[in-house]
Amino acid sequence: MLTDFDASERRIWAGRAEAYAESFGKLCAHPVPRLLDAARVRDGVRVLDVGTGTGTAAAAACARGARVTGVDAEISMVDLAARSVPSAEMHLAELPRLPFSEGLFDAVTANFVLNHVGRPKAALAELRRVVRPGGWVAVTIWATPAAAGQTLLDRAVQAAGASRPPHLPALAPEDDFARTATGLTGLLASAGLKDATCEPLHWDHHTPAATWWRGAADGIGQTVLSQPEHVRAEIERHFHRISAEFATPEGHLALPHSALLAHGRR
């Protein structure tokens, strides 16, 4: 059963594949090699990449010689991933119910997917269901507290006096979990995964300021998109002011980010 949070996520991401690919997709690509290592992805392994987005992790798994299937809940992502990674099978599907038989895959990856589902524990239980006994599930999420680069847009929104729109629901308290190593490890264990471990990831994402703002303005940042035009202009003004803190000599931004990478086996 989908929650209000899930329904909101479907609306947020509808038709956003190109905007995501040009902005935040490049940020989310950073952990992919370590994610695949954690899932033991190598030549001949049957891999399911859940929430494949534009197919970055799927492409990297194919490059390792794996047999790759990708799924995403947003059709524009599926279409773009299918074009970008023709050697992988791409399907439209959404958590917490996937159209695969139990134990079909050797490894399952989910890169920044648990941030976007209304029932994270149920989602993880489904990832466990479709991996074979002894197979590995590897996931990433954004960590709390957020790193300085992750809060840039929020700071600009606050400086402009704007607020989160009321139509964006939060997770139900009983479905939420601490975005910490302990919280994520506990979530994997509660979903039935064994030997669950978690490691922090820290990196600077380098991007032109205009590209980062355009991603938010094109709909990746729903708080920005939902504001009246004059408020969006004020948010943009503060964004460029604050982003100077992260400017490099080359004229790009170096935005510090923090995430968590966890894995466990069935």
Side-chain angles (χ1 to χ4, degrees), residues 145-236:
Q150 291 165 262
T151 63
L152 171 56
L153 284 169
D154 287 340
R155 289 172 62 193
V157 167
Q158 292 170 7
S163 60
R164 178 185 172 93
H167 69 271
L168 297 181
L171 285 186
E174 63 271 20
D175 290 320
D176 208 353
F177 67 101
R179 266 62 171 179
T180 63
T182 300
L184 182 55
T185 301
L187 187 69
L188 265 67
S190 71
L193 290 165
K194 304 174 184 176
D195 302 326
T197 60
C198 183
E199 62 176 304
L201 305 176
H202 305 285
W203 73 99
D204 286 350
H205 177 61
H206 291 258
T207 179
T211 298
W212 205 237
W213 171 254
R214 188 164 58 249
D218 285 348
I220 304 303
Q222 279 291 298
T223 298
V224 175
L225 189 65
S226 65
Q227 305 298 327
E229 185 174 348
H230 72 280
V231 177
R232 290 200 300 271
E234 188 67 2
I235 295 172
E236 182 176 10

Side-chain angles (χ1 to χ4, degrees), residues 72-260:
D72 202 278
E74 165 50 34
I75 188 59
S76 68
M77 297 287 189
V78 174
D79 289 344
L80 182 53
R83 296 194 302 271
S84 301
V85 196
S87 55
E89 293 184 13
M90 294 295 174
H91 302 276
L92 182 68
E94 60 186 356
L95 290 168
R97 299 183 68 179
L98 297 175
F100 304 111
S101 59
E102 182 173 341
L104 182 61
F105 300 97
D106 300 309
V108 177
T109 57
N111 194 34
F112 298 112
V113 173
L114 295 183
N115 300 98
H116 300 288
V117 297
R119 297 166 58 207
K121 180 180 175 180
L124 271 169
E126 181 71 347
L127 302 188
R128 178 190 178 277
R129 183 187 69 81
V130 299
V131 77
R132 63 168 175 80
W136 290 86
V137 174
V139 303
T140 54
I141 66 167
W142 296 115
T144 300
Q150 291 165 262
T151 63
L152 171 56
L153 284 169
D154 287 340
R155 289 172 62 193
V157 167
Q158 292 170 7
S163 60
R164 178 185 172 93
H167 69 271
L168 297 181
L171 285 186
E174 63 271 20
D175 290 320
D176 208 353
F177 67 101
R179 266 62 171 179
T180 63
T182 300
L184 182 55
T185 301
L187 187 69
L188 265 67
S190 71
L193 290 165
K194 304 174 184 176
D195 302 326
T197 60
C198 183
E199 62 176 304
L201 305 176
H202 305 285
W203 73 99
D204 286 350
H205 177 61
H206 291 258
T207 179
T211 298
W212 205 237
W213 171 254
R214 188 164 58 249
D218 285 348
I220 304 303
Q222 279 291 298
T223 298
V224 175
L225 189 65
S226 65
Q227 305 298 327
E229 185 174 348
H230 72 280
V231 177
R232 290 200 300 271
E234 188 67 2
I235 295 172
E236 182 176 10
R237 183 177 71 82
H238 285 290
F239 168 85
H240 289 295
R241 175 182 61 80
I242 298 169
S243 66
E245 298 174 15
F246 305 100
T248 68
E250 296 76 24
H252 285 190
L253 303 181
L255 300 173
H257 280 72
S258 295
L260 298 169

